[in-house]
Amino acid sequence: MGEKKCPHCGAWSKWNQHIQDTCEHCGEKLGGADLAYHEKRLAQEKANRENWIFYIKETDGEFVQLVKKVGNFFYTLYIAIITFLAWLIAVLPG
């Protein structure tokens, strides 16, 4: 536990190292720019996840869900093989 200066009112408040902690004096979040960055990053991650070709939506039918699950499996398998080959190439010379 420590203290952090509130970016809104300038007073020092107790801080538990969490972005969501609030100021004891004005009630605003102590996160400031870090909180804004964190919220922006969460929104970007959600958008990226939903734009993924194999993202399974609630509106997808059973056949489409099955195809996307199979696609995810083979994509994961492909990436695992490529990663193994890259590791093997890196290990062999030395």
Side-chain angles (χ1 to χ4, degrees):
M1 179 179 247
E3 289 187 345
K4 185 171 184 177
K5 191 172 186 179
C6 177
H8 303 284
C9 68
W12 289 91
S13 294
K14 292 187 191 275
W15 187 46
N16 294 324
Q17 309 287 325
H18 299 291
I19 293 177
Q20 299 292 337
D21 287 344
T22 57
C23 177
E24 298 170 344
H25 305 285
C26 67
E28 295 289 330
K29 303 278 184 193
L30 291 174
D34 294 334
L35 180 62
Y37 173 78
H38 181 69
E39 290 173 350
K40 181 180 174 184
R41 184 68 191 131
L42 288 177
Q44 287 174 345
E45 286 178 5
K46 182 180 179 190
N48 287 342
R49 207 173 22 249
E50 291 174 356
N51 288 335
W52 171 241
I53 190 170
F54 297 121
Y55 177 72
I56 299 173
K57 300 174 188 165
E58 293 179 9
T59 58
D60 290 341
E62 289 182 32
F63 178 72
V64 174
Q65 287 181 3
L66 178 65
V67 169
K68 288 183 178 183
K69 286 179 183 178
V70 170
N72 270 327
F73 173 76
F74 282 111
Y75 178 77
T76 303
L77 186 64
Y78 170 74
I79 293 299
I81 291 169
I82 296 298
T83 303
F84 174 74
L85 291 175
W87 172 81
L88 192 62
I89 291 170
V91 169
L92 285 179

